[in-house]
Amino acid sequence: EEPAVAATQAVRVDPPNPTDAPDPPDPVGGWEPGSLYVALYGHPGSSTLGVLGEQSVEQAVQRAKTVAAPYASFGRAVVPTFEIITTVASSEAGSDGDYSNEFPDSKFQPWIDAALANDMHVILDLQSGRATFPSQAREIEALLAQRNVSLALDPEWRVGPTDRPEGGRIGTVDGAEVNETIEYLDDVIERYELPPKMLVVHQFTPSMVTNKAIIRGTTNVQVVFQMDGFGTLPLKMSSWDLMVADLPADAWTGWKNFYDEDNPTPTPAASLAVQPTPIYISYQ
């Protein structure tokens, strides 16, 4: 039966134009449950601080996609990612005395922009020296306020008020400081109305994180403990077992591979074979 039409006025509805392009998909946001994040790790412009800095940002986008591609066969959505060392620990005090080198946001913004344009995620890594993680996180709030940017803490380079970061010294952070960082990141997400983010904590020895059991994420902030030790696979597995032995409630896991220091570099299958299954894999 034909629908009724008012006799006083005909209504014309134009058919859709088949040449009209569909709306572009929403860019990648924050943490997505079920997704696997696979990253290049390093510092822009430096070939000694990880593979990310070995090429231009455009080339790094393609390399990240290439590294992430083999993981698509494991049945999960895969998100190519940059993990960018944003503050770099130093054996020199620097003008502010915190033994950590900070950089202007403009150094990292092109990488965030390129990642967003390619549906990639970004994790900003802090090597804070004598500075606290919350204080350094506040200094990069303009970067953290962007929808595709998460945060990582590297306790190896978090030292006490009389120590300095240097080779052979492994730093430490207390769970209370990690929780303070989580609370700050949660506040950023609420204030800027952002999707959830990850808070990645690097660890390869128990001493790197004290009072670990008190660490708690939020709905907005998903805590990921990443095993970032290197060496043979049995040695990496030993570090993994120590890391997950006291994993905080509701925390996720991550795994790190090294091209030069691992012997050999684990395959994607080996990287995902551990339990609990990682949601984050990075390459240095």
Side-chain angles (χ1 to χ4, degrees), residues 17 116 167 179 188 212 262 284:
N17 185 341
L116 188 62
N179 279 340
V188 169
K212 185 176 173 181
D262 284 345
Q284 179 174 339

Side-chain angles (χ1 to χ4, degrees), residues 240-263:
W240 175 269
D241 291 341
L242 289 171
M243 184 192 79
V244 302
D246 58 351
L247 200 65
D250 301 324
W252 301 86
T253 63
W255 176 274
K256 188 169 184 179
N257 289 322
F258 294 78
Y259 287 116
D260 296 331
E261 290 86 357
D262 284 345
N263 183 26

Side-chain angles (χ1 to χ4, degrees), residues 7-237:
T8 56
Q9 182 177 5
V11 178
R12 175 180 174 180
V13 178
D14 291 328
N17 185 341
T19 63
D20 287 347
D23 291 335
D26 291 336
V28 67
W31 176 82
E32 293 287 346
S35 293
L36 174 64
Y37 295 80
V38 180
L40 296 184
Y41 173 93
H43 183 74
S46 171
S47 61
T48 62
L49 293 175
V51 297
L52 179 139
E54 293 178 349
Q55 58 276 299
S56 68
V57 60
E58 295 82 6
Q59 293 168 327
V61 165
Q62 296 308 312
R63 185 172 181 181
K65 291 180 178 180
T66 299
V67 169
Y71 287 88
S73 63
F74 293 89
R76 295 157 68 185
V78 177
V79 182
T81 301
F82 290 150
E83 183 172 352
I84 302 174
I85 308 172
T86 310
T87 59
V88 181
S90 173
S91 60
E92 301 295 330
S95 59
D96 56 5
D98 67 0
Y99 291 85
S100 179
N101 292 323
E102 298 84 16
F103 302 87
D105 291 355
S106 58
K107 182 177 182 69
F108 309 110
Q109 192 61 54
W111 293 78
I112 297 172
D113 292 341
L116 188 62
N118 286 275
D119 288 343
M120 294 172 55
H121 201 66
V122 175
I123 301 172
L124 301 180
D125 181 66
L126 302 179
Q127 299 181 352
S128 65
R130 292 184 182 177
T132 67
F133 285 128
S135 67
Q136 283 206 334
R138 289 184 174 91
E139 293 177 3
I140 57 169
E141 180 170 309
L143 301 179
L144 294 173
Q146 299 179 57
R147 59 179 291 120
N148 67 323
V149 178
S150 288
L151 183 65
L153 315 180
D154 195 344
E156 180 181 2
W157 306 106
R158 168 72 173 96
V159 297
T162 61
D163 297 323
R164 66 177 66 189
E166 53 191 348
R169 177 185 294 277
I170 299 175
T172 184
V173 67
D174 190 79
E177 184 172 320
V178 177
N179 279 340
E180 184 183 345
T181 312
I182 291 168
E183 292 166 6
Y184 166 70
L185 192 58
D186 187 274
D187 177 66
V188 169
I189 293 167
E190 290 289 333
R191 283 190 284 117
Y192 292 94
E193 299 182 348
L194 300 169
K197 297 180 182 289
M198 290 183 283
L199 189 284
V200 178
V201 181
H202 295 281
Q203 185 182 20
F204 56 87
T205 67
S207 64
M208 289 174 65
V209 185
T210 56
N211 293 317
K212 185 176 173 181
I214 71 172
I215 296 172
R216 289 292 183 273
T218 68
T219 302
N220 291 324
V221 182
Q222 300 292 318
V223 177
V224 181
F225 276 85
Q226 184 183 37
M227 192 290 295
D228 66 347
F230 59 81
T232 63
L233 187 56
L235 186 59
K236 292 172 76 76
M237 286 301 305

